[in-house]
Amino acid sequence: MPSRPDTDDPRLGDVSEGRILQAILTRTPAASHTLIGPGDDAAVIATPSGSVVATTDTLVHGPDFRLAWSSGYDLGWKAAAVNLADVAAMGARPTALLVALAVPRELRLSFVERLADGFRDACASLAPGCAVVGGDLTVSDVLTVAVTALGDLEGRVAVTRSGARAGDVIAVAGELGHAARGLAVLFGRFRDGDVPVPVDPAKLASGESAALAAQLRPAPPIGLGAVAATAGATAMMDVSDGLAIDARRMAAASGVTIALDRSRLGDDPERALAGGEDHALLATFPEGTLPPGFRVIGSVRARGEEDLLCNDVPVDLSGWDPYRDWDSVAG
């Protein structure tokens, strides 16, 4: 996209809050469940089923993204996708997003325009009918995007992570390990010392562009959350911190042991187990009820000594923990 002259693309510190909000809201359509949208103190969203699924997630510059690697569009898309996946993991259909932005004065107006475009396009692609319906805007030295997502169960019972039963199969919809591969490419190749540098597409090997897209602009199978719930999923969750840690969480909540089949975890089982930010849907189903879009990766057993096994061996891998794993010196 051609750069705009500075007079047409001012620093945020040089324009009013009203102009920034106008730039965002003119790029985001109304959600299909919106009764009252932006412009009042709060939005009003219809809830046909009588219940609301609500979740929130925050992306902070540093531990969650780097502006050297993520465009405004990428950031808007990812912030939408990670929240939409949490709604889908409950068996609900996303209906609305509330977005709170804390934005440095030095950023340009075009950045928040592209951010809004990312939100708009992610909703249109992953969860048609869902859109940004409101939020908040403030100034900060650290760019922060906090999103609250709402969803409607449409008469279904919410699928929690605590319902897995011995004899169920455990299955996944979406990719495992691709986002972690993308992150490894960024940290391994696109830094000058500890300083992130922009990605040079010419330096990407086969398959790495797709891995970077999985990391920077994930496309989880949002619609399959409702499909899984309708098919009778007994437990479900979003794989955000890595298959190993999230499957352990499901096993612990359900009081069972989850046994994974290593041969079904793809070409790089270690990365599939340990990598985070896939935002795939992990679900358990009674035998014979697996819906299209899900693939079996193991089984659920009566509770044993371990939460999680892989080929009958305890899994000692863990996923992403920002308090343990983020190194501020490393960018």
Side-chain angles (χ1 to χ4, degrees), residues 87-93 156 159 221-231 233 236 281 294:
V87 172
M90 300 298 291
R93 212 170 284 282
R156 295 179 292 273
V159 185
I222 304 302
L224 290 181
V227 170
T230 302
M236 187 158 52
L281 295 178
F294 282 84

Side-chain angles (χ1 to χ4, degrees), residues 16-258:
S16 68
E17 179 184 29
R19 182 173 176 190
I20 300 170
L21 289 173
Q22 181 184 32
I24 295 171
L25 296 176
T26 56
R27 310 178 89 83
T28 53
S32 59
H33 286 66
T34 302
L35 300 178
I36 299 175
D40 280 272
D41 291 313
V44 178
I45 309 300
T47 55
S49 70
S51 59
V52 178
V53 172
T55 186
T56 189
D57 204 299
T58 302
L59 299 181
V60 180
H61 187 263
D64 298 310
F65 65 91
R66 312 291 192 280
L67 287 180
W69 298 332
S70 294
S71 67
Y73 187 90
D74 292 336
L75 183 56
W77 180 291
K78 184 169 184 175
V82 302
N83 282 275
L84 296 172
D86 283 332
V87 172
M90 300 298 291
R93 212 170 284 282
T95 55
L97 301 179
L98 299 165
V99 180
L101 300 177
V103 189
R105 297 175 183 273
E106 291 73 23
L107 287 178
R108 296 284 176 179
L109 185 64
S110 59
F111 180 88
V112 294
E113 291 175 341
R114 297 291 83 74
L115 186 79
D117 290 344
F119 272 105
R120 179 197 64 216
D121 291 352
C123 288
S125 175
L126 305 176
C130 181
V132 176
V133 299
D136 190 33
L137 175 66
T138 190
V139 65
S140 171
D141 290 336
V142 179
L143 177 59
T144 303
V145 183
V147 180
T148 297
L150 306 177
D152 181 37
L153 287 163
E154 302 174 320
R156 295 179 292 273
V157 176
V159 185
T160 69
R161 60 181 66 177
S162 61
R165 302 171 298 195
D168 287 347
V169 297
I170 185 161
V172 68
E175 302 298 335
L176 295 173
H178 287 200
R181 183 187 180 193
L183 192 64
V185 169
L186 291 172
F187 273 93
R189 203 171 314 156
F190 297 106
R191 289 192 298 168
D192 182 2
D194 291 329
V195 179
V197 297
V199 173
D200 180 354
K203 295 182 178 179
L204 297 177
S206 175
E208 290 182 342
S209 292
L212 285 182
Q215 168 58 224
L216 301 176
R217 201 180 296 179
I222 304 302
L224 290 181
V227 170
T230 302
T234 53
M236 187 158 52
M237 65 185 298
D238 160 45
V239 182
S240 55
D241 294 325
L243 177 61
I245 193 170
D246 286 329
R248 277 199 202 96
R249 289 167 174 160
M250 179 180 285
S254 298
V256 297
T257 291
I258 289 178

